[in-house]
Amino acid sequence: MSVDHDPVSVLGTSSALPEARPGTPVLSVRDLHVRFPSEDGVVHAVRGVNFSVNAGEVVGLVGESGSGKSVTSMSVMGLLDESARLEGSVKLHGTELLGRDDDWMSEVRGLRIAMVFQDPLSALTPVYSIGDQLIEALMIHREMSQKEAEARALELLDLVGIPNPKVRIRNFPHEFSGGMRQRVVIAMAIANNPDLIIADEPTTALDVTIQAQILDLLRTAQRETDSAVVLITHDLGVVAGLADRVAVMYAGRIVEHGPAEEIFYRSRMPYTVGLLGSLPRPDQDSGDPLTPVEGNPPSPLTLPPGCPFMPRCPIAIDECASHEPDLTATDRPSHTAACHRIGDVAGGLDPFAERTREALAGVKKPKIKVPRADRPTVLSVENLAKSFPLTKGAVMKRRVGTVHAVDGISFDIREGETLGLVGESGCGKTTTLMEILHFNAPEQGRIVVLGKETGTVGRRGRKELRRDVQVVFQDPMASLDPRMPIHDILAEPLKYNDYPKDRVDARVRELMGLVGLEPAHANRYPRNFSGGQRQRIGIARALALEPQLLVLDEPVSALDVSIQAGVLNLLDRLRLELGLAYLFVAHDLSVIRHIANRVAVMYLGRLVEVGDVGEVFDHPLHPYTQALLSAIPVPDPNKERARTRILLEGDLPSPADPPSGCHFHNRCPKYLTLSDHEQVRCRTESPRIVEIADERQAACWYPAEREIF
């Protein structure tokens, strides 16, 4: 690792660890530059970043993938590759960190600076128990006996909410769920009461209910240690609830910085305005399209001259092309932004106003005039069940149990509507999709697609159904053959379904135009397209045979929020123009609120609530639905900080050993408020989903509406 700064400012002794100094911030980053050599040239990943964090303060770093957020955090931790070239200054309590050798930094990491990584499974050593790793983190930095370290480890596990810590301390990482592993990582981070905690996307891979628990735990950790926190995330709702100040990064530098309220309510940089306009809101039922930030971030190898955001900016002027704007003060206290038109934006100019008007003129969420009951049924699922044997033994396998992945669910989708299927990981959503897409007789119940029961159709009938039912997968890169050009990828389903050869090229061009891609780029390969463009290609392929039903399995979860908005608008437009029906699976309930007409909430293989998306979000009946909705972060600081969360205890039970009676009763907050007689009923009798009101169903013995937002 190469570092350019004054060597005299670096303390030479490894024992001189940074101590708190009155009047100095915990962390101070000044004019930080990070470059990486590559085969194609030098990658300028971080360009002149400046920010500081005080004790007890949370600073949020936000921006699209590749903006330099994680590289900045790794620079602070001293974890960059040796080939990285750093310039500038990173100080902890006024002591320079850049240029230190790894032995010196190893004394600082874990003691003064701690990090919570995005993937807890990768952050934990799989061959050591949780207890061994916690004890090591304590003993390596502090003079304490094995017994004292083990007592402290138990105290930490109890603090972060690990049940039965005396038993679980001897477990290995693979024996914990994702949420519990992240709790362990947080316990390790706060073990030595660090001065600074860096949390790099700490909730990205978690269910919304577990995310709420982890965020609450981070608040607790900060209170316990009075640490400064740098929160790196793409989720602006998380930032709204936790951050005191926000730094928005684009193309390796900070383009807007200020108090959270200023960033959310009085943004001055068009990029920040665009990010906020791209967000679907769980608390708002709007029929209007989102306003995406068109285009993609520039490559750090070949930054355009002038402002890097200019090619995507709707209000760019000639000056934007001549030189890059500095981060300058706005008319608000402690609020800075990098924009040549900062005065115009401050004066009330909406950078995306014209684009918003075009979007509103081009597509509105369709208002279907025909009542739902009078529209044809595209998909009907009745009493569907799917189980898997649980076996033991390497050679002579014997059945020791049954996993009830899907347990008697029923729903239907009518022409022109979107049904959102939601629930925690392991609730049975994907198994439900697979049962539908197999087009075979289910283990129990029946599936009817476009009037044809899948259990009675033959081979030819299944082929016809596959023309009418197509799927869009979560990972667009994995679902496209990297060895085939886009033309061949789109032409493949046409070729194998007897499409006239002389019309294939025209159909490919038509599909490219339909999803907003340039037909002339059909000779390119998937690697030549961005993530959002690849997902559009996946949608185009699914539309090739003119299906009537699209099954969408987390189609936007791998995309940045700005790119996600464009794909959601595209899906809404296609549904309106082509009369499609969607079965939409997502863990992001904000997306479901925006795109779905109806929503089905799933828990441990069963549906617990079904209804119109507006009714379910605004007036949920089932306690599980209420907990799910209360866990969704809202990108509004005032509203987010005033909300009362319903935190669920523990993780989803195993479908191989579900609780008796109501499967949710052991996590249900309402159960604790019931009388003894009512609790007995919840523990012993299993409620089935029944109609509570018109087109509104719930599976609860004591359903009651509750306002969440």
Side-chain angles (χ1 to χ4, degrees):
M1 182 187 299
S2 176
V3 181
D4 293 342
H5 58 69
D6 181 7
V8 177
S9 65
V10 178
L11 300 178
T13 59
S14 61
S15 60
L17 296 181
E19 296 290 345
R21 299 179 185 177
T24 62
V26 175
L27 177 70
S28 175
V29 178
R30 290 290 174 265
D31 198 28
L32 178 66
H33 292 258
V34 183
R35 297 178 176 88
F36 298 97
S38 73
E39 295 179 356
D40 299 320
V42 177
V43 176
H44 201 165
V46 175
R47 305 182 302 121
V49 164
N50 294 276
F51 70 93
S52 61
V53 196
N54 298 314
E57 184 181 40
V58 179
V59 171
L61 282 183
V62 302
E64 293 171 287
S65 300
S67 62
K69 307 186 300 296
S70 293
V71 174
T72 300
S73 69
M74 299 297 270
S75 302
V76 174
M77 294 291 292
L79 294 175
L80 291 177
D81 190 86
E82 290 184 358
S83 63
R85 182 175 180 82
L86 286 81
E87 301 174 13
S89 171
V90 176
K91 292 183 178 180
L92 183 69
H93 292 306
T95 300
E96 185 65 60
L97 300 183
L98 292 191
R100 299 291 187 174
D101 59 42
D102 193 59
D103 289 340
W104 194 92
M105 286 301 298
S106 294
E107 293 187 43
V108 175
R109 290 192 293 258
L111 180 62
R112 301 296 169 81
I113 307 176
M115 191 160 188
V116 179
F117 293 95
Q118 179 174 348
D119 182 3
L121 190 57
S122 299
L124 297 171
T125 306
V127 295
Y128 290 103
S129 71
I130 295 299
D132 287 341
Q133 296 183 63
L134 273 171
I135 290 168
E136 180 188 37
L138 290 162
M139 295 185 67
I140 202 169
H141 290 295
R142 298 187 180 277
E143 293 183 2
M144 53 176 31
S145 66
Q146 178 81 15
K147 186 175 181 180
E148 290 172 331
E150 185 169 344
R152 173 62 174 160
L154 288 170
E155 180 185 338
L156 287 165
L157 291 179
D158 184 61
L159 179 66
V160 299
I162 299 294
N164 200 3
K166 290 185 178 180
V167 174
R168 302 311 299 268
I169 195 173
R170 314 210 179 278
N171 290 154
F172 289 83
H174 71 271
E175 298 177 279
F176 284 72
S177 67
M180 290 179 69
R181 283 194 290 264
Q182 195 64 293
R183 288 170 180 269
V184 171
V185 171
I186 293 174
M188 293 177 68
I190 65 175
N192 294 298
N193 297 320
D195 301 320
L196 173 67
I197 298 174
I198 300 176
D200 188 0
E201 301 278 11
T203 62
T204 297
L206 304 178
D207 285 312
V208 65
T209 52
I210 307 302
Q211 172 180 275
Q213 296 173 12
I214 296 302
L215 293 177
D216 188 63
L217 181 57
L218 280 173
R219 294 186 187 97
T220 302
Q222 187 193 22
R223 287 196 302 268
E224 290 287 326
T225 61
D226 195 34
S227 301
V229 176
V230 176
L231 177 65
I232 299 170
T233 181
H234 67 279
D235 191 331
L236 289 166
V238 171
V239 170
L242 277 178
D244 301 299
R245 289 188 291 120
V246 180
V248 182
M249 292 192 70
Y250 186 80
R253 66 188 294 248
I254 292 175
V255 295
E256 187 161 9
H257 184 197
E261 291 80 4
E262 294 293 326
I263 299 297
F264 278 86
Y265 301 137
R266 289 172 285 275
S267 305
R268 296 291 185 260
M269 168 65 183
Y271 176 61
T272 310
V273 177
L275 281 183
L276 294 170
S278 300
L279 291 173
R281 295 276 299 251
D283 57 329
Q284 295 177 1
D285 187 12
S286 172
D288 297 337
L290 301 168
T291 308
V293 182
E294 301 291 352
N296 298 288
S299 167
L301 273 169
T302 54
L303 289 173
C307 176
F309 187 62
M310 185 194 70
R312 307 173 70 188
C313 183
I315 60 169
I317 55 178
D318 292 341
E319 187 180 3
C320 300
S322 62
H323 64 280
E324 188 170 6
D326 295 326
L327 197 64
T328 56
T330 68
D331 58 340
R332 304 291 298 183
S334 305
H335 187 181
T336 58
C339 181
H340 289 302
R341 301 194 64 181
I342 191 171
D344 296 329
V345 179
L349 173 66
D350 181 355
F352 293 87
E354 184 175 348
R355 188 174 294 172
T356 303
R357 285 193 293 270
E358 291 173 357
L360 294 178
V363 57
K364 294 277 285 185
K365 187 171 286 189
K367 303 293 184 183
I368 303 173
K369 297 180 180 180
V370 179
R372 184 175 187 274
D374 297 336
R375 281 182 270 135
T377 300
V378 176
L379 172 68
S380 175
V381 175
E382 300 175 16
N383 200 31
L384 176 66
K386 176 64 177 177
S387 60
F388 299 94
L390 194 63
T391 60
K392 190 175 183 180
V395 180
M396 300 295 291
K397 292 187 180 295
R398 64 186 187 278
R399 187 167 185 156
V400 295
T402 302
V403 177
H404 298 281
V406 179
D407 188 11
I409 68 171
S410 301
F411 62 86
D412 64 1
I413 302 176
R414 301 299 175 97
E415 183 182 85
E417 79 176 4
T418 299
L419 175 70
L421 188 60
V422 302
E424 294 171 283
S425 299
C427 71
K429 303 187 301 293
T430 300
T431 302
T432 301
L433 296 192
M434 293 300 103
E435 286 297 290
I436 293 169
L437 294 171
H438 281 157
F439 299 121
N440 290 320
E443 178 183 303
Q444 176 185 309
R446 60 198 294 260
I447 301 171
V448 181
V449 182
L450 299 168
K452 300 175 183 177
E453 187 173 344
T454 58
T456 62
V457 298
R459 183 176 179 181
R460 181 182 296 274
R462 281 195 292 273
K463 183 176 180 180
E464 292 174 355
L465 283 178
R466 288 193 176 101
R467 292 175 60 105
D468 293 322
V469 181
Q470 293 289 311
V471 61
V472 178
F473 296 99
Q474 178 175 357
D475 185 352
M477 192 60 184
S479 60
L480 301 175
D481 191 331
R483 301 165 298 177
M484 296 173 64
I486 300 307
H487 178 280
D488 294 353
I489 289 174
L490 298 182
E492 187 178 39
L494 302 171
K495 174 184 174 182
Y496 288 104
N497 284 274
D498 304 321
Y499 201 84
K501 292 183 180 179
D502 59 339
R503 294 171 53 194
V504 169
D505 289 347
R507 179 60 175 161
V508 169
R509 289 194 297 270
E510 180 186 354
L511 289 169
M512 293 282 284
L514 190 64
V515 297
L517 296 175
E518 177 57 53
H521 296 164
N523 61 341
R524 298 183 180 181
Y525 289 81
R527 66 177 180 273
N528 301 126
F529 293 85
S530 68
Q533 290 172 326
R534 286 195 289 263
Q535 194 62 290
R536 288 172 180 263
I537 294 166
I539 294 170
R541 180 184 166 96
L543 296 174
L545 299 172
E546 301 181 4
Q548 297 182 55
L549 172 67
L550 281 190
V551 176
L552 302 124
D553 186 9
E554 302 273 13
V556 295
S557 63
L559 306 178
D560 281 313
V561 63
S562 56
I563 310 300
Q564 169 185 283
V567 174
L568 291 176
N569 285 348
L570 170 67
L571 290 170
D572 248 348
R573 177 173 63 81
L574 292 174
R575 181 164 66 94
L576 173 64
E577 294 178 355
L578 305 179
L580 298 170
Y582 296 152
L583 175 56
F584 199 109
V585 172
H587 72 276
D588 189 337
L589 276 78
S590 301
V591 169
I592 292 296
R593 176 71 186 253
H594 177 77
I595 199 168
N597 305 105
R598 289 170 56 76
V599 61
V601 183
M602 203 167 182
Y603 184 80
L604 217 60
R606 297 179 178 178
L607 294 181
V608 298
E609 188 162 358
V610 180
D612 176 82
V613 69
E615 284 295 312
V616 172
F617 273 68
D618 292 337
H619 309 288
L621 294 170
H622 197 281
Y624 177 63
T625 308
Q626 294 165 0
L628 271 185
L629 296 177
S630 80
I632 310 171
V634 177
D636 183 318
N638 291 340
K639 181 175 286 190
E640 178 65 12
R641 293 167 188 175
R643 294 173 66 203
T644 301
R645 298 219 183 271
I646 305 171
L647 294 178
L648 296 181
E649 297 295 329
D651 297 305
L652 195 73
S654 169
D657 185 25
S660 61
C662 173
H663 287 354
F664 185 60
H665 82 264
N666 63 329
R667 300 174 74 196
C668 180
K670 184 169 187 175
Y671 172 83
L672 302 175
T673 67
L674 300 176
S675 66
D676 292 343
H677 174 72
E678 291 170 329
Q679 288 185 349
V680 169
R681 188 182 191 189
C682 292
R683 290 197 304 269
T684 58
E685 300 180 41
S686 177
R688 285 292 176 179
I689 193 162
V690 295
E691 191 150 333
I692 305 294
D694 185 34
E695 298 286 356
R696 189 78 185 279
Q697 299 171 301
C700 180
W701 291 123
Y702 308 103
E705 290 186 3
R706 179 168 179 170
E707 188 173 336
I708 301 298
F709 301 108

